[in-house]
Amino acid sequence: MAIALLVGCTKQEVPPLPVAALEHLIVVLGVAQDAGFPQAGCDKDCCLDAWKEPHNRKMVSSLAVLDLKSNRHWILDATPDFKHQSHLIANKWGTKLAGIFLTHAHIGHYTGLMQLGREVMGEDSIPVYAMPRMTNFLQQNGPWDQLVALGNIELRSLNSDSAVMVSDSISITPVLVPHRDEYSETVGYYVQGPTQKALFIP
């Protein structure tokens, strides 16, 4: 599994990879905090420069885990930049979205789910993996409960330290981490490939 390819958050082009030789890949889709960079209301010099120069902007932290053998990918966190991040994956690799793993209920980590609803993509039963409080939050609060009711997403509950085998050679394991847990617990994820492991804690 190749790890830490940076996409969509630097001026530089993505260096060419021997994709034909790869079977598994982790793609870094963003590196910024919940609101991205620059943030709304920021008038510091660094933000002003980013407002003027789009190539200096950074998307919200997210990973894509790709299984090129089966032409599928999984997203870790559905960010406010979800549509751009999804486009990057589709444009470069053309893999199909097979599921989304959420870390917690702060705005930078789940609000991209709105793109799956009938106003936009109108998806059908996209698996969304979440811990119990996060699952309950989505079931009990609008507009997220509409995604459940209309079958745009299919909620799948996680247990801490219990691996989910998303393919025959990739597992994703949630681990509880300390954070401000107003609406949900917070997890990071171990992504285990055939020979390497990565830890995602946004």
Side-chain angles (χ1 to χ4, degrees):
M1 176 178 284
I3 296 177
L5 172 64
L6 193 61
V7 174
C9 50
T10 63
K11 182 178 180 180
Q12 292 76 26
E13 290 294 321
V14 177
L17 287 174
V19 173
L22 293 175
E23 293 184 345
H24 311 98
L25 186 64
I26 288 179
V27 181
V28 179
L29 296 172
V31 297
Q33 187 259 358
D34 295 61
F37 177 80
Q39 290 192 10
C42 180
D43 58 1
K44 295 181 179 180
D45 289 342
C46 57
C47 290
L48 293 176
D49 180 58
W51 288 124
K52 294 175 185 175
E53 301 291 341
H55 61 256
N56 288 329
R57 298 174 189 173
K58 294 178 172 59
M59 290 194 288
V60 179
S61 65
S62 179
L63 292 186
V65 180
L66 280 65
D67 182 349
L68 299 177
K69 290 193 302 179
S70 65
N71 199 41
R72 296 179 297 163
H73 71 268
W74 298 264
I75 298 285
L76 306 191
D77 274 345
T79 79
D81 293 318
F82 180 83
K83 66 178 181 179
H84 302 293
Q85 293 166 332
S86 295
H87 177 73
L88 285 169
I89 295 297
N91 189 51
K92 189 162 182 68
W93 287 281
T95 51
K96 178 177 174 56
L97 176 63
I100 297 169
F101 286 76
L102 302 178
T103 58
H104 64 294
H106 286 158
I107 65 166
H109 306 273
Y110 76 96
T111 54
L113 292 176
M114 69 180 71
Q115 302 293 333
L116 303 174
R118 63 182 175 185
E119 297 92 338
V120 190
M121 297 170 72
E123 284 287 1
D124 181 26
S125 302
I126 294 294
V128 173
Y129 298 85
M131 293 291 287
R133 286 185 63 205
M134 184 77 224
T135 297
N136 185 66
F137 176 84
L138 295 172
Q139 291 172 326
Q140 300 298 321
N141 293 281
W144 323 109
D145 59 344
Q146 186 178 74
L147 297 174
V148 178
L150 296 179
N152 302 125
I153 64 174
E154 178 184 301
L155 293 174
R156 299 189 181 180
S157 287
L158 297 171
N159 294 306
S160 180
D161 303 313
S162 181
V164 175
M165 293 298 302
V166 294
S167 77
D168 59 2
S169 52
I170 299 174
S171 68
I172 300 178
T173 305
V175 288
L176 287 169
V177 294
H179 194 39
R180 294 178 293 107
D181 293 341
E182 300 96 334
Y183 299 111
S184 76
E185 60 278 273
T186 303
V187 293
Y189 288 105
Y190 280 111
V191 181
Q192 176 71 61
T195 61
Q196 292 177 290
K197 179 188 286 188
L199 174 63
F200 176 64
I201 301 179

